Amino acid sequence: MSHNTIPLQDDLGGIRRFLQEGRELLTLSSDAIEGMHAHIDDIESKIENIHQNALTVGIIGGTGVGKSTLMNALAQKEISSTSHRRPHTDAVIVYRHSDGVMPAALHESAVHWIEHTHSADAIRQIVLCDLPDYDSILKAHRESVLLFLDTLDILVWVLSPEKYADGQFFELLKQVPKARENFYFVLNKSDLFFSNRPADEAHRELASVMETLQHYLRDAGVGAPVLYHISATEAFTQTQLSFWNQMAHLRQEIFHQRNYKELKEIKTSNVDRQLSEIRAILEKEVQRFTALESVLRDTVDEIEGEKALWIESITQAADEWLDTTVRPLFTEKISNASSALVGPGRLVAHIAAYRWNLVPGSSEKRQQQVEKASRAIVDRLIAQYTHRKETFISALYKKGFTYPLPDQILNMINPDQIVRDFIHQVEHLFQSPLDLVPPQTFRLFKITQYGLYSIVGLLFIFAMAGKESWNYIFHNPSISGTMNFLVTALFTIFSPKGLAALGSLMIVSLLVGYRCYAGFRNKRDKKVVAMLALFKRDIEALCDDALCALIEHLKKNHAEVRSIRTLISGLHSPSLSEKG
């Protein structure tokens, strides 16, 4: 099949795929879609038969002008010989490819014709008709031959340097009823001009003959004759043609006419009209797809631009719960690990926990708070989704869509699975916030506390022993001196002075313990703030993932809609070839 039918077949294939892949998005009924498929079947059947309509080319000329050689040169293979002509001087010799179909017009013709088949693929879709020599046609047959000429698509008139001024030729030309624009004139055997003479002289003579011939043709009624000078013998026997040989141009023109006829056949068989009807029906559907594609693209752009505000709005719903529930949980978890506080510091920590009621309430109440917070976050996300869905639907209505929208369009902005995944992830995160609390170690802080309390204790003992004991052990450093120092301090403790000092020790120890507790609380609070920030980032990450999933969902739908639309956006029709 010729390449001219390929664009139409591509069009029909694209329409079929469009009807199939976009079926759920189309406003057409099932009966209408089936009817369009039936129309396409009919068009494809007609296109399939177009290539069987061969181009009929008539070759006419006088005796000895080389018609047979010209046909062989066109076929690039020997299909004609003088033996075909000898028994049938008044008959038309028809040369058809063995796989080709004889044009119906030839069957209906009254003129006598003889058929020869060949296997020259170069002219598979061209039927060559070797007409009787015009200078040997009997007057009784001339009228039927002239009528036969009108059944041909194009007519090639062949002359030679010996007969280019033959009066019979031009007289016959005036009698032919066929349109002059379908005539081609060939001056064959032009190699005779270049035989045994200088090239410049040969050129001058050839140009002179061509000019005279054109003058004769115009006088015969051919206003703008298409004239070629060739050597069919050279074209048939040699691969390299002389620079003056226009055989390649003649062959190209004839095959161009074949393609032109094919397009004409398509139109005359109502293929173009039927395809235009289908395109007219699909025009509104294409506009809908273009509008849907545009709204999807705009929705993606808007969500990407508003994503940061969406995330901020959603995480704000968790702020109160983070402060009232998660903060005490984190504080309790770290406070319960307060074996980091020793001595009076631990006592101060227990007193502070009781005084400010830092320990959260019951697990049932905590569970209620968790569910309330997770529900608030999910509801905020769903509210954002709902708002965007309403905006999406409103934009489609403004683009000409009518109520109700197909479910497949609604599902483009209704990603239930994304919402379900988000709910599950939020609930899992809120059910186990303490998993974010890393193991706490305060080894250095404990050592520091032990050191402080030891210093206070030593100062207390030195104070109880008195100045004399200090001087004695300083000047007599011995075991007996040390024992004397300790015994003196021990007896002093149980004196009124010692009891007062013991009270001071307790007060100082509590003050040191409170200072240690304050240091621990600062460390704890900083860790809690850091963990709250980490927890909030986890919530933001979940929101970001949900919004990214929605964006990807919309982009996927946009790509699918675009893919379906482009199935027919490239059709060979201006109205349907506009890119959306």
Side-chain angles (χ1 to χ4, degrees):
M1 182 175 295
S2 175
H3 67 276
N4 283 290
T5 58
I6 293 176
L8 282 174
Q9 290 177 315
D10 290 343
D11 284 0
L12 296 175
I15 292 174
R16 280 196 188 278
R17 293 194 298 275
F18 177 79
L19 293 174
Q20 181 64 33
E21 298 182 21
R23 191 181 189 96
E24 296 183 7
L25 295 173
L26 297 174
T27 58
L28 300 173
S29 66
S30 298
D31 291 341
I33 293 176
E34 294 304 320
M36 293 183 73
H37 280 298
H39 274 299
I40 294 173
D41 290 340
D42 183 49
I43 293 173
E44 287 179 334
S45 176
K46 289 180 177 179
I47 292 177
E48 186 64 27
N49 293 329
I50 284 172
H51 75 284
Q52 298 179 357
N53 297 326
L55 182 77
T56 54
V57 179
I59 309 294
I60 187 169
T63 305
V65 296
K67 293 186 297 177
S68 294
T69 308
L70 174 59
M71 286 189 288
N72 292 335
L74 287 173
Q76 298 179 348
K77 187 175 184 178
E78 184 173 0
I79 62 171
S80 173
S81 67
T82 55
S83 62
H84 296 160
R85 168 65 57 195
R86 289 193 190 100
H88 310 285
T89 56
D90 294 330
V92 175
I93 310 301
V94 178
Y95 295 92
R96 175 182 62 85
H97 193 278
S98 57
D99 292 337
V101 177
M102 182 67 72
L106 295 185
H107 288 291
E108 299 170 359
S109 175
V111 74
H112 177 55
W113 53 271
I114 304 298
E115 180 184 10
H116 290 280
T117 59
H118 60 82
S119 60
D121 291 337
I123 56 170
R124 177 187 292 268
Q125 294 175 336
I126 293 178
V127 173
L128 293 176
C129 299
D130 183 4
L131 300 166
D133 300 336
Y134 66 81
D135 50 6
S136 64
I137 301 176
L138 297 177
K139 290 185 178 180
H141 297 157
R142 180 165 295 191
E143 185 176 347
S144 61
V145 170
L146 290 175
L147 291 175
F148 180 81
L149 297 182
D150 199 42
T151 66
L152 304 174
D153 293 311
I154 62 175
L155 188 58
V156 179
W157 297 81
V158 186
L159 302 99
S160 67
E162 303 95 340
K163 292 189 175 185
Y164 74 92
D166 190 345
Q168 294 185 68
F169 174 87
F170 295 102
E171 185 64 29
L172 179 65
L173 178 60
K174 293 177 182 180
Q175 300 177 29
V176 176
K178 195 164 185 62
R180 299 296 192 268
E181 61 268 18
N182 296 314
F183 288 177
Y184 297 93
F185 300 92
V186 172
L187 183 64
N188 194 19
K189 301 184 180 181
S190 295
D191 52 314
L192 295 177
F193 293 104
F194 296 87
S195 177
N196 300 321
R197 68 176 65 186
D200 56 346
E201 180 182 341
H203 271 294
R204 284 195 300 271
E205 185 173 355
L206 175 59
S208 176
V209 169
M210 292 291 286
E211 184 178 355
T212 302
L213 183 54
Q214 287 180 347
H215 176 73
Y216 288 160
L217 291 172
R218 282 192 291 268
D219 288 345
V222 183
V226 181
L227 182 59
Y228 298 92
H229 47 78
I230 69 169
S231 170
T233 301
E234 182 186 67
F236 181 61
T237 59
Q238 300 182 28
T239 57
Q240 186 69 31
L241 299 183
S242 299
F243 65 91
W244 51 264
N245 194 341
Q246 296 179 329
M247 184 65 199
H249 298 291
L250 174 63
R251 184 184 293 116
Q252 182 180 4
E253 180 62 27
I254 290 177
F255 281 96
H256 170 75
Q257 288 295 325
R258 162 60 199 160
N259 296 336
Y260 173 77
K261 181 190 178 182
E262 185 175 273
L263 293 177
K264 184 178 178 182
E265 290 291 339
I266 291 173
K267 291 183 178 180
T268 56
S269 63
N270 293 323
V271 169
D272 190 62
R273 178 185 59 80
Q274 287 183 278
L275 190 58
S276 296
E277 292 176 357
I278 295 176
R279 286 167 171 161
I281 296 174
L282 292 180
E283 180 66 35
K284 292 183 179 179
E285 301 301 328
V286 174
Q287 293 175 356
R288 281 168 50 87
F289 273 79
T290 302
L292 177 58
E293 184 181 343
S294 174
V295 172
L296 283 169
R297 182 174 59 247
D298 292 343
T299 302
V300 169
D301 293 341
E302 290 169 3
I303 294 177
E304 288 180 335
E306 299 171 357
K307 188 169 70 169
L309 295 177
W310 280 37
I311 293 175
E312 181 180 358
S313 173
I314 295 170
T315 54
Q316 283 177 352
D319 284 345
E320 181 181 354
W321 181 75
L322 288 174
D323 192 59
T324 60
T325 303
V326 178
R327 182 186 295 274
L329 282 174
F330 288 166
T331 302
E332 178 189 19
K333 180 72 176 288
I334 297 177
S335 296
N336 287 341
S338 62
S339 54
L341 289 170
V342 298
R346 183 178 296 182
L347 175 63
V348 173
H350 284 297
I351 294 173
Y354 177 78
R355 171 66 180 81
W356 285 291
N357 194 26
L358 293 178
V359 179
S362 65
S363 60
E364 293 80 5
K365 182 178 180 180
R366 190 184 309 160
Q367 179 63 28
Q368 292 176 357
Q369 292 173 324
V370 168
E371 292 176 355
K372 180 180 179 181
S374 62
R375 186 71 257 172
I377 292 177
V378 171
D379 288 345
R380 189 69 61 88
L381 178 70
I382 294 176
Q384 297 284 10
Y385 276 2
T386 302
H387 169 71
R388 182 49 56 194
K389 181 177 181 179
E390 292 173 351
T391 304
F392 173 79
I393 294 174
S394 176
L396 289 178
Y397 287 147
K398 291 179 181 178
K399 293 282 189 179
F401 283 71
T402 57
Y403 180 85
L405 293 174
D407 291 339
Q408 188 169 350
I409 292 181
L410 293 176
N411 289 335
M412 291 180 178
I413 194 70
N414 188 30
D416 293 337
Q417 187 59 46
I418 296 175
V419 174
R420 286 194 293 268
D421 291 343
F422 180 75
I423 292 174
H424 175 73
Q425 292 168 347
V426 168
E427 289 178 348
H428 177 74
L429 178 66
F430 277 39
Q431 288 289 353
S432 55
L434 293 180
D435 291 345
L436 295 175
V437 181
Q440 304 297 316
T441 58
F442 297 93
R443 183 175 303 173
L444 181 61
F445 188 60
K446 284 183 179 181
I447 294 174
T448 301
Q449 292 177 78
Y450 282 124
L452 289 173
Y453 294 139
S454 297
I455 292 173
V456 171
L458 288 175
L459 292 175
F460 174 75
I461 292 174
F462 283 132
M464 292 298 98
K467 183 177 180 181
E468 293 79 4
S469 298
W470 281 42
N471 288 330
Y472 179 80
I473 195 173
F474 182 75
H475 293 93
N476 299 287
S478 61
I479 294 177
S480 60
T482 301
M483 293 300 297
N484 180 60
F485 175 83
L486 293 175
V487 170
T488 300
L490 181 61
F491 276 105
T492 305
I493 290 175
F494 293 99
S495 67
K497 177 183 176 182
L499 292 175
L502 188 59
S504 298
L505 174 63
M506 294 179 61
I507 294 173
V508 171
S509 297
L510 287 174
L511 291 174
V512 173
Y514 178 79
R515 186 67 189 87
C516 291
Y517 166 72
F520 165 74
R521 187 178 62 185
N522 289 336
K523 292 178 179 292
R524 179 198 64 192
D525 291 346
K526 288 180 179 179
K527 289 181 179 292
V528 169
V529 169
M531 287 186 289
L532 285 173
L534 179 62
F535 192 77
K536 190 169 184 177
R537 283 198 298 271
D538 287 342
I539 297 175
E540 292 174 350
L542 292 181
C543 295
D544 185 76
D545 290 343
L547 293 178
C548 287
L550 175 61
I551 290 172
E552 289 303 314
H553 177 77
L554 292 172
K555 286 183 176 180
K556 178 181 178 182
N557 286 308
H558 175 269
E560 291 177 353
V561 171
R562 182 179 181 83
S563 175
I564 295 173
R565 180 187 62 78
T566 53
L567 286 174
I568 55 175
S569 66
L571 299 189
H572 304 84
S573 167
S575 59
L576 291 181
S577 63
E578 295 176 0
K579 296 293 186 277

